[in-house]
Amino acid sequence: MGTVHAKAQQNEGFGQVGGGLLGLDEPLEFDEEPISKPSIKLNGVRARVDRVHVDGLNRTKDDIIRSAVDDLFHATDFEDVILRAHKVRRALDATGCFRDIGVYIDVSSGPGATPEGLEVTFQVKELSRIVGGINTTVSENEGNLVIGVKMPNVAGRGERLQAEYSVGNRSTSNFSVTAAKPFLRSALTPVLSASVYQQNHEYPWSGYRLLDRGLLLDLAFNTSPATKHNLQWEGLVRETSVLSKNTSFRVRESSGPQMKSVLRHILTIDHRDEPVFPSRGTWLQFSSAVAGLGGGVAHVRTELQAQANATLPQASNVVLQGTCAAGVLHDVFGSELADRFFLGGPASLRGFAQRGVGPRADGLALGGTMYWATGLHVYAPLPFVAGRGGLAELFRSHVFMNAGCLAHPEEGESIVSALSEACVAGGWGWRCGWGAWRASSSTTACRCAPPRGTSLLRACS
Amino acid sequence: MPEMSLKDSIMTSMNAQEPWPDNVKLFQPYEVEQILLPDNASCLAVQAFLKMCNLPFEVEMRWNAEFMSPSGRVPFIKCGAFVVSELEPIVQFAANKGVTLCGRLSTEEKAEMRAYMSLITNVLVNAELYISWVDTETFNAVTRVRNASVYPWPLGWLQTRSKRNNVIKRLKALHWYNKTLDQVLADVEQCCNSLSQRLGDRDYFFGTPTELDALVFGHVFTIITTRLPCRKLADIVRRHETLVALAKRIDEQYFKRP
């Protein structure tokens, strides 16, 4: 491949320009990275891309590849070539068609080669036609065996077909079939997906069980690298049933099948460096939903969640995190328990039992139509094993202080007074997370709640 | 018949000492636009029973009464923290509170009463289910429309379909599904014959009102007053004048407002 002389020189001068250097997933920051042999200025080497090869294409269609690599031809110097090659590599990666992408840059030869010409070769490995997997998950109150089948890049333009079936230890079965189609060539790179699903949920804290069967259409697009929008329409039939004969009548009243049609917009802005245990950056999610275009449930539901992270200047591995969340549900007709907000539990208001805050009947959480929650968290590596890596990296010690209130103001009741009965909890514990998974255990927590939130006023150890 | 679990029986008997509260509510589907023939019969029967016992209650109509009911069937009563559905458990529940209609009956008479009650559940209820859900004409003209009336489209269609499948499954298990309409009507005829023979020219089956009278009233009154495309069922029942007279007597005595 190409002239030996040129390749050897480049390899010496610029390091490995292959899978190694460009195999990174993070954006390359060239100004920070000390590139070896500073005597050669990459941007001083004039270059032009003559040809781009993509090796290993099998069923992926040419047009999406062509539009992805097109950018390379506009490069004017060698640094530009490398940067653009990396961008192209990420674009190819984002199509979700390839398992492995290697980049090789060589001087061009043969007929039509220009003096400063380069040839860029992408060596790709396509994902196999069908990928299957079996795994187990443990969620809030159930263990599941999940069997999944995925068919990536079905028609050659990044289309994806995915089916998942899961059986839980409480003999519930869930399934979902999703078809997604990315529009790789248009601006904002929208992804259209449709899924059909059946989901069982049990909420022992509220005494009911849900069986959702529905259709979800989703259009996701990015207006900036950190800003993601989801426009969704969801139509579902929801069957609510009570868990036992002695379930509170307030919960029993909401049983029965209901149909719901929801239009939803979710805006996510993520400037964090990591989704799990971030060390800096902010995150914000704003979702608004309107239900009632058909179906028997009509309401407007808005929710805002935000998070800010900062590393303490004195200790670089101690992260200070501030969170806040708020939500309002305006019921027009037919909104039942399942539509309401619930608060409490390690994921929302730590130090309280799952759904432990807000209106209750016979010990069961009834949910509310508005809530707010704030929290201040300090995360630090585990003591004694810090810096050793390995399993300990998945754990953090956690000191927290959070407060929140969930209310269901009756007509005529003042919203301000309903929302001022805050529940506060503080304590310390540990938190564990990897991938998208998190678990927490709090060793000590002190909570206090206004008299209305019965049975919460106690300190526990 | 839903079996009572041990826990329920213990709880019911523990509750026995407490008197019948004033705020008892009977939940049933909407009478005008929703309720179906078999459900209406059992709701009327329970109402008649409670009125015979002179137990105060309030009727509350809910679109989802069937789903709120612990057994999945209407009607059910809410008595304090207790939720009890269908006639026999309700009779049992009232008996635990010391209210019973068959206290002075001998053991043989009680057994006889049980037998007639199960004859009704085995014949009349199945016949009503057959007419409502299997007879195409009635299903299309009445059952489908009424059952779907409380749901938005297409949920109504889905619900009607799944409920019909359940009813058909039940009827198949009881070997009723493969009967022709004439066979069903012949069964009804036979059931009515034995009921009217037992009744003879008495006012009530056992002299004074019992839950059997309430059950017969519920079914006979519903069948003769409900307008259906298939008139044959009502015609057969109407031919048994003593039963019709019993129904009218109970209606006048317990349901007519002074």
Side-chain angles (χ1 to χ4, degrees):
Chain A
M1 204 206 300
T3 327
V4 180
H5 159 73
K7 189 170 182 176
Q9 211 177 39
Q10 277 167 12
N11 276 352
E12 268 184 336
F14 312 122
Q16 197 64 43
V17 188
L21 176 61
L22 297 175
L24 299 169
D25 267 342
E26 309 83 69
L28 287 185
E29 286 157 7
F30 274 85
D31 13 299
E32 282 172 32
E33 220 155 291
I35 292 169
S36 56
K37 312 277 166 62
S39 54
I40 298 170
K41 279 204 166 176
L42 285 173
N43 54 9
V45 183
R46 279 178 53 76
R48 170 179 185 276
V49 175
D50 282 351
R51 238 179 251 183
V52 175
H53 298 281
V54 182
D55 280 353
L57 289 184
N58 200 357
R59 62 180 192 278
T60 311
K61 297 277 188 290
D62 284 352
D63 56 341
I64 61 161
I65 301 294
R66 207 170 286 150
S67 66
V69 302
D70 202 34
D71 193 39
L72 263 176
F73 292 109
H74 303 294
T76 51
D77 59 52
F78 195 74
E79 185 186 349
D80 208 15
V81 172
I82 293 177
L83 285 173
R84 283 176 199 255
H86 180 65
K87 245 172 89 184
V88 170
R89 188 191 171 280
R90 289 217 299 174
L92 290 177
D93 201 34
T95 60
C97 304
F98 309 112
R99 193 180 336 162
D100 195 23
I101 304 169
V103 189
Y104 300 94
I105 301 176
D106 197 354
V107 291
S108 76
S109 59
T114 55
E116 292 146 356
L118 294 173
E119 273 179 24
V120 182
T121 308
F122 292 92
Q123 285 201 323
V124 297
K125 262 191 207 146
E126 285 188 347
L127 286 166
S128 42
R129 279 194 181 272
I130 188 157
V131 184
I134 299 183
N135 50 49
T136 45
T137 62
V138 182
S139 64
E140 277 166 339
N141 60 334
E142 193 178 27
N144 282 297
L145 177 74
V146 186
I147 303 163
V149 178
K150 197 170 160 184
M151 296 171 71
N153 199 12
V154 180
R157 290 192 177 89
E159 298 85 352
R160 209 168 65 236
L161 211 63
Q162 202 170 343
E164 214 173 71
Y165 178 78
S166 78
V167 205
N169 63 340
R170 291 175 186 239
S171 73
T172 57
S173 73
N174 302 325
F175 76 83
S176 72
V177 180
T178 309
K181 158 103 185 123
F183 295 92
L184 300 165
R185 298 170 67 186
S186 35
L188 310 177
T189 56
V191 180
L192 188 67
S193 65
S195 41
V196 182
Y197 62 85
Q198 166 174 314
Q199 272 185 328
N200 279 286
H201 290 288
E202 244 175 50
Y203 302 96
W205 320 281
S206 296
Y208 67 90
R209 180 189 298 126
L210 279 186
L211 169 62
D212 288 345
R213 292 193 183 100
L215 171 71
L216 174 71
L217 302 178
D218 178 288
L219 178 70
F221 55 94
N222 296 319
T223 46
S224 83
T227 313
K228 189 179 174 189
H229 295 260
N230 286 79
L231 272 178
Q232 298 181 333
W233 175 80
E234 191 173 8
L236 70 128
V237 172
R238 166 174 84 193
E239 277 173 40
T240 318
S241 49
V242 295
L243 285 180
S244 82
K245 273 198 138 179
N246 311 318
T247 307
S248 166
F249 201 77
R250 294 279 295 278
V251 177
R252 191 175 282 280
E253 276 177 319
S254 61
S255 30
Q258 275 187 312
M259 200 174 75
K260 190 170 152 185
S261 147
V262 198
L263 264 180
R264 200 180 289 128
H265 174 245
I266 303 170
L267 166 71
T268 317
I269 303 173
D270 193 351
H271 288 289
R272 296 174 301 179
D273 53 347
E274 296 263 352
V276 179
F277 297 137
S279 61
R280 62 191 148 85
T282 52
W283 172 84
L284 183 137
Q285 189 172 62
F286 182 71
S287 75
S288 26
V290 180
L293 303 126
V297 181
H299 60 237
V300 183
R301 195 180 198 267
T302 349
E303 197 171 5
L304 175 82
Q305 286 171 297
Q307 191 187 88
N309 302 282
T311 308
L312 288 189
Q314 294 84 1
S316 63
N317 48 15
V318 177
V319 177
L320 188 71
Q321 183 185 66
T323 58
C324 74
V328 179
L329 169 77
H330 176 73
D331 173 38
V332 181
F333 60 82
S335 300
E336 294 288 358
L337 236 56
D339 298 306
R340 294 191 191 152
F341 295 108
F342 293 90
L343 197 62
S348 62
L349 200 62
R350 213 179 157 180
F352 290 94
Q354 193 74 33
R355 296 192 166 189
V357 178
R360 305 178 84 74
D362 303 331
L364 299 172
L366 293 180
T369 51
M370 43 187 69
Y371 83 98
W372 61 266
T374 58
L376 197 63
H377 308 257
V378 179
Y379 292 100
L382 289 187
F384 314 120
V385 292
R388 280 196 220 154
L391 202 63
E393 286 298 297
L394 304 172
F395 295 86
R396 294 284 190 282
S397 33
H398 180 202
V399 179
F400 65 92
M401 182 76 190
N402 50 20
C405 179
L406 175 72
H408 190 90
E410 305 293 328
E411 264 174 61
E413 197 181 339
S414 153
I415 292 170
V416 179
S417 72
L419 281 178
S420 59
E421 294 172 347
C423 296
V424 186
W428 66 273
W430 58 269
R431 201 158 241 204
C432 161
W434 72 86
W437 187 77
R438 263 159 182 266
S440 356
S441 151
S442 94
T443 17
T444 310
C446 260
R447 354 169 186 202
C448 88
R452 225 170 84 166
T454 45
S455 84
L456 288 171
L457 185 70
R458 64 198 163 106
C460 78
S461 57
Chain B
M1 287 299 110
E3 61 269 52
M4 302 261 283
S5 73
L6 178 66
K7 192 174 153 202
D8 294 324
S9 358
I10 292 172
M11 287 195 48
T12 328
S13 45
M14 274 170 65
N15 195 40
Q17 285 78 19
E18 287 177 35
W20 189 267
D22 285 334
N23 59 353
V24 172
K25 281 184 179 162
L26 181 137
F27 289 85
Q28 64 165 69
Y30 287 111
E31 224 159 53
V32 181
E33 59 269 62
Q34 188 192 7
I35 205 166
L36 301 174
L37 182 68
D39 293 345
N40 199 5
S42 43
C43 290
L44 263 188
V46 171
Q47 287 189 26
F49 169 74
L50 293 175
K51 287 192 186 220
M52 284 171 179
C53 294
N54 218 0
L55 295 170
F57 68 97
E58 223 178 281
V59 178
E60 198 162 324
M61 299 188 198
R62 294 282 177 98
W63 69 270
N64 56 350
E66 183 188 342
F67 303 95
M68 285 163 70
S69 161
S71 69
R73 293 192 203 137
V74 287
F76 70 97
I77 57 165
K78 176 184 177 282
C79 177
F82 294 89
V83 181
V84 191
S85 66
E86 296 182 78
L87 182 62
E88 282 192 31
I90 290 174
V91 169
Q92 189 66 39
F93 184 74
N96 283 331
K97 291 204 180 284
V99 183
T100 175
L101 291 175
C102 51
R104 35 149 227 96
L105 299 192
S106 66
T107 323
E108 291 81 47
E109 281 177 316
K110 275 183 191 165
E112 203 188 347
M113 187 185 76
R114 291 260 155 76
Y116 278 106
M117 284 176 78
S118 77
L119 175 74
I120 292 174
T121 27
N122 285 334
V123 179
L124 284 187
V125 172
N126 286 342
E128 285 160 3
L129 285 172
Y130 184 95
I131 299 275
S132 305
W133 294 95
V134 182
D135 179 54
T136 331
E137 205 185 351
T138 316
F139 174 73
N140 283 330
V142 181
T143 313
R144 213 169 58 173
V145 182
R146 289 179 72 89
N147 192 63
S149 66
V150 292
Y151 305 109
W153 184 89
L155 180 59
W157 179 77
L158 290 170
Q159 281 298 319
T160 308
R161 213 183 64 151
S162 81
K163 197 167 172 187
R164 184 171 194 229
N165 288 341
N166 285 339
V167 171
I168 286 177
K169 211 186 274 172
R170 177 189 159 151
L171 290 179
K172 267 186 183 158
L174 298 169
H175 303 292
W176 271 70
Y177 182 65
N178 295 323
K179 289 185 181 183
T180 60
L181 184 60
D182 290 330
Q183 280 173 309
V184 169
L185 294 173
D187 281 358
V188 173
E189 173 80 59
Q190 216 174 9
C191 169
C192 289
N193 278 337
S194 43
L195 281 175
S196 53
Q197 261 171 30
R198 177 67 184 81
L199 181 64
D201 44 13
R202 272 169 293 203
D203 276 1
Y204 296 101
F205 278 92
F206 297 97
T208 52
T210 56
E211 49 261 35
L212 175 61
D213 298 287
L215 191 61
V216 171
F217 162 75
H219 286 279
V220 170
F221 194 81
T222 309
I223 290 172
I224 60 177
T225 53
T226 308
R227 284 175 177 275
L228 292 178
C230 169
R231 294 253 169 145
K232 289 178 193 156
L233 181 66
D235 290 343
I236 286 176
V237 175
R238 235 179 244 128
R239 251 179 267 147
H240 296 85
E241 280 160 17
T242 46
L243 294 181
V244 175
L246 173 77
K248 282 192 174 147
R249 198 174 310 127
I250 294 175
D251 181 43
E252 248 156 56
Q253 187 162 352
Y254 295 104
F255 286 85
K256 287 276 173 320
R257 295 212 169 72

